[in-house]
Amino acid sequence: MRLSFRLKTILGVALIEAVLLLLLVLGNGDFLRRSFDEELNKRAEATLRLFVASSQDAVIATDLATLESAVSGLMRTPGMVYVRVYGHGELLSQGGVRGDGPFIRDYHIDEVEDGVFDTAAEITVDDFHFGRVEMGLEVDAIAGMLDRAQRHNIVLAASEILLVALFSAILGGYLTRQLRSLTEASHAIAEGRIDTLIPVRGRDELAETARAFNRMSAQLQATYGELQQAATFFENTAEAIMITDADNVIVGVNPAFCRITGYDEREVLGRDPGMLSSGRHDEAFYRHMKESLEHEGRWQGEIWNRRKDGEIYAEWLSIVAIKDDAGELAQYMSLFSDITKRKQDEERIWRQANYDTLTGLPNRTLFMDRLDQSLHRAHRERCRFALMFIDLDRFKWVNDTLGHGAGDGLLQEASARLRDSVRESDTVARLGGDEFTVILPKIRRDQDAELIAEKILDQLQQPFLLEGREVFISGSVGITLYPDDAGDIETLVRNADAAMYRAKEAGRNAFRFYTQSMNDSAQRRMQLEAELRKAISAQRLDIYYQPIIDLVTGATVGAEALLRWNHLELGRISPDEFIPLAEELGLIAELEAWVLRQACREAAEWPGAPFISVNLSGVQLREGAYPAFVEQVLHESGLEASRLKLEITERLMIDGGDAVIEQFRRLREMGVSIAIDDFGTGYSSLSYLRRFPVNVLKIDRSFVSDLSDAEADGVTLVNTMIAMAQSLNMAVVAEGIEEAAQAELLQRLGAGMGQGFLYSPAVDAKAFLDFLGDGARV
Amino acid sequence: MKRLLILALSLFVTLNVKATESLSVGIVPQQSAAKLARLWSPLLRELEQRSGVKLQFHTAPDIPTFERRLAEGEYDLAYMNPYHYTVFSREPGYRAFAHEREKRIKGIVVVAKDSPIQSLEELAGAELAFPAPAAFAASMLPRASLERMGIAISPRYVGSHDSVYLAVARGLYPAGGGVVRTFNNIDAAVREKLRILWTTPGYTPHAFAAHPRVDGQVMGRVRDALVSLGDDEKGRALLGALRFKPIGAAADANWDDVRELDLHLLDALISE
C-alpha cells in the first residue's frame, strides 16, 4: 500500500502515543492499586500513632474530657467511620458507629471489610499495657480517589493522543504541502519554465530548502539567460564564429561564418579549418600561430583565406583556446570578420594619401616618410644615402606652348624614365609641378650617386614624343649625402634643393653636389672622363713593361704590359683610378684593344723573344669574337701566338659562362697562353682551374710579401699553390718580389718565374729594351 | 459464631481476674500520667508478685481531679500527700498503712540560679508559682510558713511540680514551690538553671492508704510486700527508681504533725 508521508507520520505518531499511554495508564493504575493498601495502612497508622501520642496521658489518667474532645477531633478526619478508646479494661470514649457490636474483636484488624478498614493500637508504657485505640477508615473515599485518578489519566491520555494526532496532521500537512510545491516547481523547471519560484514561508529547514531551490532557480535563469544571449549572439553576430575541437576538427559554425566563407554548415563540419587556407601564408606563419595558441592560449591577426568560390579575402581573426575544468585543451574558438573591403579602402585611401595620381609616383607625404625611413636605416646601419632633387628645365615652356595635356604627358613620361634610371630599392617621388626627387639608399661611393645623376640627365635629354611632336628638354639635379652633408631630413631637403639651383645656375642639364668637396671630386671625375676619352681616342696613354724573370737562371723571360697615364696638367694618374672609370664609361674594350695591338707590335721587335703578358678585363669576351680579334692582332703585329699571354682575374673565371670558356679554348688552340692574375685573392677553386684552360698561375703579391717574414703559414700557402699549379701542369709566376730572400725561397719552393721591384719596376718600352740588353748581358 | 466465642472467652477472663483480688492504685499526679505510669508500673508489678494481689495503676489528669476521685473513693489504694491524707482520712475514711520509713517531707522554694533573690523577705509582694493549692510540700508547706513569717505573696497554680520548675527556670515567676525529690527528678538541664532558696521544716511524708472497703487482710498482704522491698536488692532497686527510701508500716497518728498545721483548704471537698 502506498501511504502518503503525511498519513505515515500521523499513523506512526498516534500509534506510538497510544502504546506509550496505554502502558502508562495501566502501569499507573496498577501502581495506584498497589499503593492503595499501603497508603491506607500508612494513613491509618499515622493517624493512630498521632492519636495515641496525644491521648496517652489522658487514657492513663482516665481523663475523659480530654479523650472526648480528642475522639471527636479524630472523627472529623475524612473517611473516619469510628473511634474507640479503652483504658483499664473499659471503654473510655467512643465516636461513630461500626456495625452493631461494641467490640472491635469481631473484625479483622488491618483488613478491609464491609468497605471499612479496621485498625487498632495498644497504649503501653514500657511493656505495661494501659489501654487500646480502635478505629475504622472508609475505603470508598480512597477507592473513589483511585477511580478518579484513573479516569483523569485516561482523559489526559485521550486528549494527548488527540493533540498529538492533530499536531502531526498539521505538521505532516505542512511538510507535504512544502514538498509538493518543491516537486511541482522541479517539474516546472524540467518543463522549461525556469523562472519558477517557491513562496518561502517561515524560517525552518523546509523554508531554507525552498530558498536554496529559489537560489538554484535564479542561478538557472541567469545561466540560461546567458546561454540564450550567447546563442543569440552566435546566431546573429556579423562576426563569423568557428569552433573546432582539440583535434582541430570543425564542430560548429554560425550563419555569419557561412555568409563570409560561402560554405554551408554541413560542408565544413568535421573538416579541417585548413580547407579555408588561401596559400598566401607560409609555413612559418602558421607555425607562429600554433605556438602562440599553445603558449598564450590566443592568437589574433590578419589572415588571408579563400572562399568557397575561390576568392581570396582578408579577415581579422581571433582564436582563443578553450580549456576544460581539468585544464586540458577542449576547443578552439575562432572569430573573424571579412576585412577585405576595409583593406581595399585602406589601400585606396593610403594610395590617395601617398601617391601622385598623375604619375603614380609617391607624393610628398610618402617621400618624407621614405626619407625618414632611409635616414633611420642609414643611421642604424652606419651607411650613407643620397638625396636628389630633379627639376625639368623646360617644363614651363612645354606646358605654356603645348598645353596642359602635353605637360601632363611630359610629367608622366619623365616619371617613367626616372624610374627606369634607378635601382628597384631607390625611391622616385614627385613633389609637385615639375619637381622630382630620388632617394638612393646604401650608396658606397660618391660616384654611385654621380652615375645615377648622369644617367637621369641622359634619359631626360632623350626626345619626348608629345602630341605627335618630338620635344627636347633637360634636367637639373641637386645631390646631397647623408651623413656627410646633414643629419636631419629638413636640412637634407634644403641642401638638395640648393644643390639643384646651383645646377640650374651652372647652365642646366647638369648635376651639382651640395658640398664643395663632392663637387670637386665630381668635377675631377668629369674632367678625367673627358680627358680619358680624349687620351684614348688620341692614344696618349703609355704602355709600360715589367720584366718577368726566370728564378733559376735569372734570365728575363717575359714582360707584363701595364697601362700608364701621364697627363700634362693633371699629372700621373693611377690605373686604379682611370681603369674603373674607363670601365664605367664603356671605354675599356677600346682601351684594351689598343693596348693589345700596341704591346704585340712592340713585343714583336724584342730580342730574345720574351713573351708579352696583357691584362684582359673580360668585357670584350661578351661578344664572342675576341679570339678572332686576337688572331687579327697577332697577324698584324707578326707576334707569334706562343709569346702572347692573356691575364684574367679569378672573378672572370667564376662569372664567365661556357661561352667564355669556349673562347679561351679557341685562344689556347691558337697557341695563346692564359694566366690567372692575382691568384689567391678571389674565389679560387680547384674545379674552376680544371675547367679553365689556364697555363700560368700568378701568385698575388700579398702572398709573396708574407714570405719575407718567413712565416710558416705563408710558406705553406705558397708551397701549396705551387704544388697545385705543378700538378695541374701550370707555370708559376710570383708577383711583387722585392727581396732576394723571397726570390731564393720561391725558387726553392719550385716557383718558376717572378716579377717585382727586386728586378725592375714597370718601365717604358725604351727602358725595357735597355733592360733586355742588360739582362742579355747578365 | 467464631467471633462470638472469642468475645465470650475474653469477657470471662477479665471478669475472673476482677473477681479474685484486683485493686486499683491511685497515684497522686505529681508528674505527667505517662511518666508516672512508667515509674510506678514495675513497682506495682513486683508488688503483685509478692502480694498475690492484682494491682492496677491509676492516676488523674491533675491534682483537683485526683482530690475529687479520692473524695469519691474511686481508688482502692492510693498514694497521696500528707495534707490529702489528713483530709480524706476523715471522709471517705482512707486508712494509712505505710510510708517511707526514714523520710521527712520538706517543701522548698526555688529561684532561678542567676536570680538576685537571697532571702524569703525579698519575695514579699511577688507572684509565686505552685503546683496546686493542695500540693502539700510544694504549695501548702511553703505558703503556711510564709504566712507565719508575715510575708505576703500571690500564689499562682501552674498544675504540676515540673511546670513550677520550668516556669521559674524560664523566668515566668521569680520563685516557686517544690520538693527536693521532684526537684531531683526533673531534667538536669532544667535543674541546673535553678537554686533552692529555702527549705521548710520536715513532716511525715506521703501516705499509702486504703479505702475502707478493702479487706484488711488483702491490705496487709500489700503492705507486707511493700515493706519487704527494702529487704532485698531487687526491691531496693525498684524503690530507688522512684527515689523512695525503704517503706515502713504506718498508722494514722503518724500524720498528726500535719493535722496540727490546721489546714482547711479542702474542707469543702469532703463536706459535700
Side-chain angles (χ1 to χ4, degrees):
Chain A
M1 187 171 73
R2 192 162 164 271
L3 288 174
S4 74
F5 178 74
R6 180 183 182 179
L7 201 55
K8 278 180 196 163
T9 309
I10 298 168
L11 284 179
V13 170
L15 191 65
I16 290 166
E17 270 297 314
V19 169
L20 282 179
L21 286 172
L22 187 66
L23 287 174
L24 191 66
V25 168
L26 286 180
N28 204 12
D30 189 44
F31 173 75
L32 282 175
R33 260 192 302 281
R34 269 194 285 107
S35 59
F36 170 59
D37 293 341
E38 214 175 302
E39 179 62 30
L40 207 55
N41 268 314
K42 261 198 229 161
R43 197 172 153 216
E45 196 188 331
T47 310
L48 267 178
R49 198 178 292 156
L50 196 66
F51 184 77
V52 166
S54 65
S55 59
Q56 181 178 255
D57 275 6
V59 171
I60 292 169
T62 326
D63 185 352
L64 298 179
T66 303
L67 281 175
E68 195 71 32
S69 78
V71 166
S72 67
L74 188 58
M75 280 307 293
R76 282 196 290 277
T77 307
M80 190 62 70
V81 178
Y82 70 98
V83 180
R84 288 180 193 135
V85 182
Y86 297 88
H88 308 299
E90 291 168 32
L91 179 62
L92 297 181
S93 185
Q94 168 173 327
V97 179
R98 170 74 163 105
D100 326 313
F103 298 112
I104 190 70
R105 315 218 194 284
D106 294 286
Y107 307 101
H108 294 98
I109 296 301
D110 294 345
E111 269 182 33
V112 176
E113 215 171 305
D114 305 334
V116 176
F117 179 80
D118 294 301
T119 187
E122 305 299 328
I123 294 170
T124 58
V125 176
D126 293 344
D127 296 342
F128 297 103
H129 184 261
F130 291 98
R132 175 188 174 88
V133 179
E134 296 171 348
M135 64 181 213
L137 277 170
E138 198 178 29
V139 178
D140 289 350
I142 294 172
M145 227 162 68
L146 187 68
D147 281 350
R148 275 200 303 283
Q150 260 318 42
R151 272 199 301 279
H152 187 62
N153 275 345
I154 289 167
V155 168
L156 266 179
S159 331
E160 187 175 348
I161 290 176
L162 261 173
L163 270 175
V164 163
L166 190 67
F167 177 72
S168 49
I170 292 168
L171 183 70
Y174 170 68
L175 253 174
T176 28
R177 200 160 55 247
Q178 293 284 66
L179 287 175
R180 194 186 308 127
S181 68
L182 263 173
T183 311
E184 283 168 359
S186 300
H187 282 313
I189 284 182
E191 284 160 15
R193 282 176 282 142
I194 56 165
D195 55 345
T196 306
L197 289 177
I198 302 175
V200 177
R201 284 186 294 267
R203 304 169 64 82
D204 55 13
E205 290 84 346
L206 280 170
E208 191 46 51
T209 308
R211 261 193 286 277
F213 182 93
N214 288 345
R215 276 198 295 279
M216 180 195 76
S217 171
Q219 187 55 47
L220 265 177
Q221 264 186 78
T223 309
Y224 186 71
E226 282 170 17
L227 271 175
Q228 275 197 323
Q229 280 173 16
T232 307
F233 175 79
F234 187 79
E235 289 298 323
N236 298 305
T237 180
E239 285 210 73
I241 300 175
M242 175 181 75
I243 296 164
T244 56
D245 63 13
D247 299 324
N248 206 25
V249 170
I250 298 173
V251 294
V253 295
N254 71 339
F257 174 92
C258 298
R259 200 161 57 243
I260 291 172
T261 63
Y263 285 104
D264 278 351
E265 192 176 349
R266 320 186 285 283
E267 292 174 310
V268 294
L269 289 184
R271 296 189 61 184
D272 190 295
M275 66 183 287
L276 301 169
S277 172
S278 66
R280 276 206 188 181
H281 302 285
D282 57 13
E283 216 176 299
F285 178 84
Y286 292 107
R287 196 169 57 239
H288 173 75
M289 180 193 285
K290 204 175 157 216
E291 281 168 4
S292 179
L293 280 171
E294 277 171 10
H295 296 128
E296 292 155 40
R298 57 176 61 246
W299 180 88
Q300 63 177 22
E302 282 182 15
I303 184 167
W304 292 94
N305 271 347
R306 188 186 298 275
R307 294 191 224 276
K308 188 183 178 185
D309 60 12
E311 187 190 345
I312 286 172
Y313 66 98
E315 64 183 39
W316 177 259
L317 174 64
S318 290
I319 308 178
V320 181
I322 297 168
K323 291 182 174 174
D324 60 19
D325 292 342
E328 293 294 316
L329 179 74
Q331 287 180 329
Y332 291 108
M333 181 156 83
S334 306
L335 278 97
F336 59 86
S337 47
D338 188 342
I339 55 166
T340 311
K341 189 172 184 308
R342 196 179 85 202
K343 280 195 77 72
Q344 286 170 347
D345 290 348
E346 278 174 2
E347 172 81 12
R348 199 179 69 243
I349 290 164
W350 186 81
R351 284 204 72 82
Q352 281 172 355
N354 290 285
Y355 283 88
D356 173 37
T357 42
L358 179 66
T359 61
L361 290 177
N363 63 9
R364 179 182 286 274
T365 310
L366 185 56
F367 158 72
M368 293 303 279
D369 195 38
R370 293 262 174 94
L371 183 59
D372 191 48
Q373 284 174 21
S374 300
L375 186 129
H376 279 103
R377 192 185 306 131
H379 176 73
R380 200 167 54 240
E381 296 173 7
R382 297 180 177 284
C383 61
R384 308 163 79 194
F385 77 89
L387 172 64
M388 285 183 187
F389 266 35
I390 301 152
D391 191 77
L392 302 184
D393 290 333
R394 276 159 47 89
F395 172 71
K396 196 175 178 307
W397 175 83
V398 171
N399 222 16
D400 290 347
T401 55
L402 301 177
H404 291 301
D408 287 350
L410 174 60
L411 289 172
Q412 282 170 335
E413 179 60 22
S415 295
R417 290 185 189 180
L418 284 173
R419 228 171 359 225
D420 289 345
S421 308
V422 300
R423 298 167 298 183
E424 191 73 29
S425 56
D426 300 337
T427 297
V428 178
R430 182 185 170 215
L431 299 184
D434 60 342
E435 269 192 352
F436 295 88
T437 181
V438 174
I439 302 167
L440 304 169
K442 287 189 182 178
I443 58 161
R444 280 185 295 276
R445 303 173 301 175
D446 304 344
Q447 290 93 317
D448 290 344
E450 209 178 295
L451 285 174
I452 291 185
E454 281 177 3
K455 199 168 173 186
I456 287 169
L457 290 178
D458 181 52
Q459 284 290 317
L460 293 177
Q461 266 186 315
Q462 305 304 316
F464 288 85
L465 195 66
L466 301 170
E467 316 257 305
R469 285 181 56 180
E470 271 195 341
V471 176
F472 292 87
I473 63 158
S474 62
S476 298
V477 179
I479 307 169
T480 187
L481 292 166
Y482 170 91
D484 311 59
D485 300 337
D488 63 284
I489 291 172
E490 288 73 22
T491 314
L492 283 171
V493 167
R494 205 165 53 236
N495 288 352
D497 199 41
M500 187 190 74
Y501 276 98
R502 246 183 281 152
K504 271 199 190 300
E505 284 161 13
R508 303 189 173 176
N509 196 25
F511 66 87
R512 283 291 182 275
F513 280 94
Y514 174 70
T515 42
Q516 196 52 50
S517 64
M518 293 293 162
N519 278 329
D520 289 351
S521 75
Q523 290 302 313
R524 178 179 164 79
R525 270 180 56 81
M526 285 196 290
Q527 191 179 4
L528 271 182
E529 196 181 307
E531 291 303 318
L532 186 58
R533 286 183 200 273
K534 279 192 264 178
I536 289 171
S537 61
Q539 299 186 352
R540 278 207 293 266
L541 293 167
D542 303 313
I543 297 170
Y544 274 46
Y545 301 96
Q546 183 169 40
I548 294 172
I549 310 298
D550 186 319
L551 290 178
V552 180
T553 62
T556 301
V557 292
E560 180 180 356
L562 293 164
L563 208 50
R564 291 289 183 270
W565 185 13
N566 234 332
H567 194 271
L568 289 173
E569 294 159 21
L570 300 173
R572 204 185 184 103
I573 296 160
S574 165
D576 291 338
E577 192 177 7
F578 72 81
I579 297 290
L581 187 61
E583 280 178 5
E584 283 168 24
L585 295 173
L587 299 173
I588 193 72
E590 190 182 342
L591 192 59
E592 281 182 347
W594 174 75
V595 170
L596 186 67
R597 273 202 191 90
Q598 189 69 15
C600 284
R601 193 155 50 238
E602 288 184 357
E605 306 298 324
W606 289 340
F611 61 83
I612 178 68
S613 200
V614 179
N615 286 287
L616 190 62
S617 73
V619 176
Q620 300 159 86
L621 292 172
R622 284 175 199 146
E623 262 100 71
Y626 193 64
F629 170 70
V630 172
E631 194 168 21
Q632 190 197 335
V633 170
L634 288 173
H635 179 72
E636 285 170 6
S637 65
L639 187 76
E640 295 151 33
S642 60
R643 287 181 61 200
L644 177 64
K645 293 187 196 304
L646 295 172
E647 293 188 14
I648 61 166
T649 61
E650 288 173 297
R651 177 92 244 150
L652 177 67
M653 194 166 68
I654 292 161
D655 291 345
D658 290 342
V660 174
I661 294 172
E662 179 54 31
Q663 291 184 69
F664 278 119
R665 190 165 291 122
R666 277 171 52 199
L667 287 168
R668 272 280 296 271
E669 283 166 4
M670 284 158 49
V672 176
S673 297
I674 309 295
I676 296 291
D677 201 6
D678 304 335
F679 184 78
T681 58
Y683 304 90
S684 306
S685 155
L686 197 59
S687 64
Y688 285 117
L689 287 178
R690 288 171 66 90
R691 276 174 64 203
F692 258 71
V694 174
N695 307 87
V696 180
L697 195 145
K698 296 190 79 172
I699 296 172
D700 190 71
R701 59 179 66 245
S702 58
F703 297 107
V704 174
S705 69
D706 283 348
L707 287 176
S708 63
D709 301 331
E711 285 177 15
D713 283 353
V715 173
T716 308
L717 213 53
V718 173
N719 191 24
T720 307
M721 290 183 195
I722 292 169
M724 189 183 69
Q726 285 171 345
S727 70
L728 290 170
N729 209 19
M730 294 179 190
V732 172
V733 176
E735 294 179 295
I737 300 173
E738 293 175 357
E739 293 161 21
Q742 293 169 344
E744 194 185 337
L745 186 55
L746 283 164
Q747 187 231 317
R748 256 210 331 272
L749 290 172
M753 295 170 280
Q755 65 185 87
F757 279 21
L758 177 63
Y759 307 106
S760 168
V763 294
D764 61 22
K766 186 173 174 301
F768 183 70
L769 275 175
D770 290 346
F771 186 84
L772 277 179
D774 289 348
R777 275 198 308 277
V778 173
Chain B
M1 271 314 282
K2 192 180 171 188
R3 238 189 286 168
L4 273 174
L5 186 67
I6 294 169
L7 179 69
L9 259 173
S10 60
L11 193 66
F12 169 78
V13 169
T14 309
L15 289 173
N16 191 37
V17 169
K18 190 109 180 172
T20 51
E21 289 168 325
S22 180
L23 301 175
S24 61
V25 182
I27 306 296
V28 61
Q30 286 171 321
Q31 287 153 310
S32 76
K35 192 170 174 185
L36 280 178
R38 188 173 299 119
L39 288 170
W40 283 90
S41 292
L43 185 85
L44 294 182
R45 181 69 42 85
E46 184 63 23
L47 287 178
E48 280 180 340
Q49 295 280 326
R50 296 191 183 197
S51 65
V53 179
K54 181 85 182 165
L55 297 173
Q56 209 168 40
F57 173 84
H58 282 263
T59 188
D62 46 42
I63 298 287
T65 309
F66 184 66
E67 288 164 347
R68 186 165 43 75
R69 286 181 183 171
L70 281 172
E72 288 169 2
E74 206 166 280
Y75 308 119
D76 296 326
L77 303 178
Y79 174 73
M80 63 189 89
N81 71 38
Y83 174 66
H84 281 149
Y85 179 71
T86 62
V87 174
F88 298 110
S89 59
R90 282 188 278 159
E91 183 68 39
Y94 279 95
R95 285 163 294 151
F97 61 86
H99 69 69
E100 280 180 271
R101 208 162 42 205
E102 291 169 15
K103 162 106 179 194
R104 300 297 287 174
I105 196 164
K106 293 171 185 171
I108 56 170
V109 172
V110 296
V111 294
K113 188 166 241 175
D114 53 0
S115 170
I117 295 167
Q118 298 297 332
S119 67
L120 288 175
E121 286 77 16
E122 290 172 60
L123 295 172
E127 286 186 337
L128 265 65
F130 299 100
F136 177 70
S139 182
M140 298 182 84
L141 280 182
R143 278 194 285 123
S145 299
L146 286 168
E147 201 176 299
R148 286 186 179 188
M149 284 185 240
I151 300 166
I153 54 107
S154 304
R156 290 288 182 272
Y157 304 104
V158 296
S160 69
H161 288 234
D162 288 357
S163 297
V164 170
Y165 301 135
L166 270 172
V168 175
R170 286 179 184 168
L172 298 175
Y173 300 100
V179 296
V180 171
R181 188 170 45 82
T182 57
F183 181 74
N184 287 335
N185 271 354
I186 58 169
D187 271 0
V190 179
R191 192 165 62 236
E192 279 164 15
K193 289 183 180 169
L194 298 171
R195 168 161 58 90
I196 297 172
L197 180 66
W198 182 70
T199 309
T200 66
Y203 292 86
T204 305
H206 283 51
F208 287 97
H211 196 275
R213 68 173 170 267
V214 176
D215 179 69
Q217 200 208 338
V218 172
M219 184 194 72
R221 273 156 55 194
V222 173
R223 181 195 59 211
D224 294 346
L226 198 55
V227 171
S228 75
L229 290 173
D231 298 339
D232 55 80
E233 201 61 30
K234 188 181 178 191
R236 277 196 295 276
L238 286 166
L239 290 171
L242 283 162
R243 298 187 186 280
F244 276 1
K245 294 192 169 83
I247 310 295
D252 178 66
N254 289 21
W255 280 274
D256 289 346
D257 58 343
V258 177
R259 291 191 178 101
E260 282 173 15
L261 283 171
D262 192 21
L263 301 168
H264 302 284
L265 194 67
L266 296 175
D267 285 359
L269 203 64
I270 52 173
S271 63
E272 285 171 9

